[in-house]
Amino acid sequence: MRKIINATLSNLDEILNIYNEARIFMKNTGNPDQWKDNKPDENTLINDIKNKNLYIILDDDIIVASFALIEGIEKTYINIYDGAWLSNDKYITIHRVAKKIIAKNIMDSIVKFAETKKLNLRIDTHIDNKIMQHLILKNGFVKCGIIYLEDKSLRIAYEKII
C-alpha cells in the first residue's frame, strides 16, 4: 500500500541513498548535469524536513521516493522567458523529485497528493531530463517557458491549474 508522509530526520540516510541512486540514473540516461554537484545537498534536505516541505513515499512501509512541496513564491520563477505562467494565482512548487529505480508511478502519486492542497502546481526540470519532461506533461502540466536558477542554469518551467 502506498503512503505519502512528511519526512523526518530519522529518514535522512535512506533519503540520501535515494538521491544518490537518482543521480546515477540521470547520468546513465542522458542527464549528467542536473544534480552533478551532489544536489540536493544534505543541508537543503534537512531544511526541507525542518520546514515540513520534504515528503517520502512509502510502498509497503519501504521508502521508495522523496520530493519537496513548497508553498509560496519561488524566487527563480519571478522571471520567466520565452513564455508566461498560466496564472498569477497562489501555487505550490514541486521540487527535488527522486525515486528508487524499482518504484513505479511516482510522479502520478506526487501530483495527486499535491492536488489535494487546492493550489496550482508549478515545476521545472533540466533541459536534458527527457524522462521528467515526459512525466510532467503526462500529468497534465503545460510548458510555460524557461526559468534560470540562482546559478544561472536553465530549466524548463511548467504549470498545472487546479
Side-chain angles (χ1 to χ4, degrees), residues 12 24 28 46 81 91 108 148:
L12 188 58
I24 292 166
N28 291 335
I46 289 170
Y81 305 92
Y91 60 90
D108 299 352
Y148 290 91

Side-chain angles (χ1 to χ4, degrees), residues 139-157:
N139 277 280
F141 286 80
V142 174
K143 182 179 173 184
C144 293
I146 302 296
I147 59 106
Y148 290 91
L149 303 182
E150 289 178 7
D151 68 3
K152 307 296 182 216
S153 59
L154 178 148
R155 297 290 186 266
I156 303 170

Side-chain angles (χ1 to χ4, degrees), residues 64-98:
V64 296
S66 181
F67 66 97
L69 276 186
I70 302 172
E71 186 175 338
I73 295 171
E74 165 61 61
K75 61 184 169 183
T76 62
Y77 288 4
I78 293 171
N79 295 310
I80 187 166
Y81 305 92
D82 298 329
W85 295 112
L86 301 177
S87 123
N88 292 319
D89 296 339
K90 289 184 179 181
Y91 60 90
I92 292 178
T93 304
I94 301 170
H95 277 309
R96 298 185 260 294
V97 175

